[in-house]
Amino acid sequence: MDQKKIDRINELARKARAEGLTPAEEEERAVLRREYIDSVVGSLESQLESTYLVDEKGRKRKLRKKGE
């Protein structure tokens, strides 16, 4: 997500606290928030996919999703 979109999310948050948002702005805020959350979750998932656990004997084991 680029910085312009993050700045817009923050701008809408300030406006919501100060004076409220129009329905169109509320919809825009919801879309931007969802995009931001998806970006963060995707980044976290890719980081976890490259994470290994090392046991006491020094063996590496790839981190797996719960239930796999």
Side-chain angles (χ1 to χ4, degrees), residues 4-61:
K4 285 182 182 181
K5 290 182 180 181
I6 293 171
D7 291 343
R8 181 64 179 154
I9 291 170
N10 291 329
E11 181 183 324
L12 289 170
R14 282 190 295 275
K15 185 176 179 191
R17 284 191 298 272
E19 59 195 71
L21 299 174
T22 66
E25 289 171 332
E26 287 177 2
E27 186 177 329
E28 178 187 7
R29 180 178 66 170
V31 169
L32 289 170
R33 282 180 171 177
R34 175 51 39 202
E35 185 177 337
Y36 177 77
I37 290 169
D38 291 343
S39 169
V40 169
V41 168
S43 174
L44 179 60
E45 285 178 346
S46 68
Q47 185 175 3
L48 290 174
E49 285 175 1
S50 64
T51 301
Y52 289 86
L53 298 175
V54 180
D55 65 10
E56 301 84 27
K57 296 180 182 179
R59 294 181 295 209
K60 286 184 177 181
R61 187 171 51 103

